[in-house]
Amino acid sequence: MNKIQFPKDFLWGTASSGPQSEGYKHKKNDSIWDYWYKKEPERFYNQVGPETTSNVYEQYAEDVSIMKELNLNSFRTSIQWSRLIKDFETGEVDQEAAQFYNRYIDEMIANGIEPMMNLFHFDMPYELEQKYGGFKSRHVVDLYVKFAEAAFELFGDRVKYWISFNEPVAYTKGAYWHNLIYPNEMSMQSYVQANYHILLAHSLIVSAYRKGNYSGEIGIVVDLLPPIPRSENPADVEAGRIADLFINLIFMDPCVRGEYDQDYLNILKKHDCMFHYHIEDLEAIKENTVDFIGINYYQPMRVKARDSMPNPFSPFTPEWYYEPYEMPNRRMNEYRGWEIYPKALYDIAMRVKNEYGNIKWYVSENGMGVQGEERFKNKDGFIEDDYRIDFIKEHLGWLAKAIDEGSNCFGYHLWTFVDNWSWTNAYKNRYGLVSLNLNNTERTIKKSGNWIKEAIKNNDFS
Ligand code: FCB
């Protein structure tokens, strides 16, 4: 068998986020997660909330040293808006928070870990949600720009990769469509409007970053779910196209090409669901396309045409046009319930190459969650996660093939480094290369961590 190898300067990293890892050792403003947990703790798995983390606020240096030990050379995490900014209206910075992020970033750089800093990982400040309705409000776009400008100014001399938003659609789907994220409002108009404002905020901060003449790059992270229709029957293909428009292209097209797909806008108009915008925004969106794209990939999106017509009196959702397709005999992650389909990573890479001008991109998340991972602990207390090693290898095999065929991919980031808190699922599923003891926040490298260490050293992921 040929070795699975990658280019010399490839970025090997893991990904995490501020709200899922930092913890509460220093007081900060509430985000929607802090508020929601106080209000409805029963929504959270085992009632474990966002204060129960791996305590990165205090243990970041230990983590960075383990990253170095594992030969990783990059790390994506996020700066929490609700931590860095003390006063959201004025943009006043919390100095202690700024010092924390300074220490964290400096520690990464001193240890040869490239910091990739994301500015939004589902963590809307609660005050802005409550006063203005979060990104439904244009005023919140302006406040977000203030926050981003403060972050660029504070850390832009050292951070070379900036990310405006992580998975904006996963956030808005959760908040306005699927009842998973506060304010769990269930309104397509809100979904469409918030997505539009997020796009606008993204474009404005790309513009601000470029005006500031920093010497790095800025992009966005999307969960580009490859839609796979049930069959080649035109109705199924059309179902895939609509899902693609509402979930993937809604950010991919304007962020890379500078404009929306006209079909998306036509559907919104047809259903009287068009977002409010100012004509000059379109210029900002057109001019401020990204330097690179981060793509999170876990599983494909299998769809089919609907079996029956929706009730014409029910409010419009894109699911008027498609339904999820639970293909029989899909290969499932038996410990988590998500499909495993590694070839999609190749399909994504080829799509970026062929349809998006081969723009520079990287895998910003990919990984395998496992429920009850404790059962794989050996007698020395060490988790033997062979399933995760196989999962990574298979995905990397397809990625290497795509790179061989000219895909412009510059890195791979596994979700995640140390097991972290996963929103309403809390610690139900573990994802890390390093396990976390929730009682004392002790870290133990898993078998997958040791595997990746050797694989990176030998440039051999076979
Ligand atoms: C992704 C999120 C991330 C994490 C993983 C499992 O969609 O970006 O925060 O929860 O799923």
Side-chain angles (χ1 to χ4, degrees):
M1 194 172 97
N2 287 341
K3 276 188 184 178
I4 300 175
Q5 290 195 310
F6 285 84
K8 281 269 160 309
D9 51 356
F10 206 66
L11 291 182
W12 289 107
T14 54
S16 183
S17 79
Q20 293 174 275
S21 65
E22 287 171 10
Y24 283 20
K25 287 294 161 162
H26 172 67
K27 206 171 148 332
K28 65 171 196 64
N29 283 307
D30 276 356
S31 76
I32 50 171
W33 296 100
D34 306 312
Y35 170 78
W36 208 21
Y37 179 63
K38 282 181 225 161
K39 186 170 169 248
E40 293 178 58
E42 63 286 352
R43 280 215 175 236
F44 295 77
Y45 185 73
N46 284 344
Q47 304 216 8
V48 172
E51 81 285 9
T52 308
T53 67
S54 57
N55 184 28
V56 158
Y57 193 89
E58 289 185 331
Q59 287 171 257
Y60 66 91
E62 186 183 341
D63 284 354
V64 171
S65 92
I66 306 174
M67 287 177 200
K68 186 177 180 186
E69 184 189 334
L70 299 188
N71 295 322
L72 298 164
N73 61 4
S74 156
F75 182 54
R76 173 173 80 104
T77 188
S78 73
I79 294 172
Q80 294 195 72
W81 189 358
S82 58
R83 186 184 295 286
L84 187 67
I85 301 297
K86 201 170 185 170
D87 180 323
F88 301 114
E89 301 289 340
T90 63
E92 188 200 350
V93 165
D94 178 314
Q95 292 308 328
E96 261 194 70
Q99 280 166 25
F100 160 65
Y101 289 117
N102 268 326
R103 290 195 296 274
Y104 197 0
I105 290 166
D106 289 347
E107 190 71 19
M108 287 188 234
I109 294 173
N111 287 282
I113 311 289
E114 184 76 55
M116 289 194 162
M117 299 311 271
N118 165 31
L119 293 169
F120 188 89
H121 204 121
F122 310 169
D123 51 339
M124 174 61 65
Y126 173 63
E127 184 188 321
L128 302 183
E129 184 64 54
Q130 187 232 357
K131 270 199 198 155
Y132 304 113
F135 277 118
K136 284 188 290 176
S137 147
R138 209 177 157 102
H139 180 57
V140 172
V141 172
D142 297 335
L143 301 184
Y144 187 70
V145 175
K146 282 190 190 168
F147 156 54
E149 283 175 339
F152 298 152
E153 210 175 300
L154 286 162
F155 316 116
D157 55 336
R158 286 152 292 151
V159 173
K160 302 296 172 205
Y161 293 94
W162 287 96
I163 291 149
S164 60
F165 286 88
N166 172 76
E167 296 188 348
V169 167
Y171 169 65
T172 50
K173 261 196 299 186
Y176 306 113
W177 184 359
H178 290 168
N179 190 21
L180 287 172
I181 297 180
Y182 188 81
N184 49 308
E185 190 194 299
M186 320 297 276
S187 146
M188 217 9 74
Q189 187 72 57
S190 297
Y191 176 73
V192 165
Q193 189 66 53
N195 275 320
Y196 174 69
H197 280 151
I198 290 176
L199 173 66
L200 178 63
H202 158 82
S203 305
L204 295 178
I205 76 161
V206 171
S207 164
Y209 186 70
R210 298 211 170 118
K211 282 200 189 111
N213 276 321
Y214 299 100
S215 66
E217 299 184 5
I218 183 158
I220 190 166
V221 163
V222 294
D223 42 338
L224 188 69
L225 293 173
I228 308 183
R230 167 178 58 183
S231 74
E232 283 170 17
N233 172 317
D236 284 337
V237 172
E238 178 64 6
R241 166 81 179 142
I242 306 274
D244 199 28
L245 284 172
F246 275 82
I247 291 174
N248 297 322
L249 306 193
I250 182 174
F251 280 94
M252 208 45 198
D253 280 3
C255 292
V256 182
R257 296 191 177 133
E259 56 192 20
Y260 281 115
D261 189 306
Q262 195 54 46
D263 288 351
Y264 170 66
L265 301 178
N266 291 344
I267 297 174
L268 296 185
K269 285 180 194 149
K270 179 168 160 199
H271 292 284
D272 211 9
C273 210
M274 186 62 184
F275 48 82
H276 302 284
Y277 67 101
H278 297 178
I279 201 83
E280 64 274 15
D281 302 348
L282 304 182
E283 209 40 50
I285 293 167
K286 185 144 213 108
E287 273 173 16
N288 295 296
T289 54
V290 289
D291 296 319
F292 66 87
I293 284 279
I295 296 177
N296 294 354
Y297 172 66
Y298 291 89
Q299 60 172 343
M301 174 168 67
R302 294 196 187 267
V303 292
K304 60 175 183 174
R306 288 184 63 103
D307 290 335
S308 58
M309 291 301 288
N311 170 356
F313 299 107
S314 64
F316 164 71
T317 86
E319 281 157 355
W320 276 28
Y321 293 94
Y322 70 86
E323 280 178 339
Y325 172 50
E326 307 211 336
M327 187 177 81
N329 305 322
R330 286 179 298 167
R331 181 176 154 205
M332 300 300 282
N333 167 355
E334 57 181 302
Y335 314 119
R336 164 74 172 92
W338 282 0
E339 181 175 351
I340 299 185
Y341 183 61
K343 176 175 176 286
L345 205 48
Y346 171 81
D347 297 336
I348 287 172
M350 289 300 128
R351 188 173 194 192
V352 173
K353 177 167 183 259
N354 299 327
E355 295 175 31
Y356 291 92
N358 208 11
I359 186 167
K360 199 170 153 178
W361 75 285
Y362 81 110
V363 179
S364 36
E365 281 179 34
N366 173 234
M368 186 180 182
V370 173
Q371 191 170 352
E373 198 168 42
E374 292 285 293
R375 75 191 120 135
F376 297 104
K377 241 186 202 169
N378 68 16
K379 57 179 180 356
D380 304 319
F382 163 79
I383 290 177
E384 299 195 338
D385 52 347
D386 295 273
Y387 42 82
R388 183 169 288 111
I389 299 173
D390 293 342
F391 179 98
I392 301 172
K393 274 189 197 168
E394 280 192 71
H395 284 81
L396 288 180
W398 284 106
L399 187 61
K401 177 172 157 61
I403 294 173
D404 253 17
E405 293 176 21
S407 166
N408 202 358
C409 175
F410 66 96
Y412 175 87
H413 287 61
L414 185 84
W415 187 272
T416 186
F417 185 59
V418 176
D419 292 334
N420 63 13
W421 182 79
S422 279
W423 318 113
T424 50
N425 272 342
Y427 288 91
K428 182 171 170 193
N429 306 302
R430 302 290 186 121
Y431 285 87
L433 290 175
V434 177
S435 71
L436 175 70
N437 179 335
L438 274 180
N439 298 323
N440 56 12
T441 70
E442 199 177 81
R443 281 95 163 119
T444 311
I445 299 171
K446 299 181 193 174
K447 188 170 176 183
S448 56
N450 288 325
W451 171 79
I452 216 161
K453 172 181 176 176
E454 289 306 306
I456 296 172
K457 187 170 111 204
N458 304 322
N459 193 9
D460 181 2
F461 299 80
S462 324

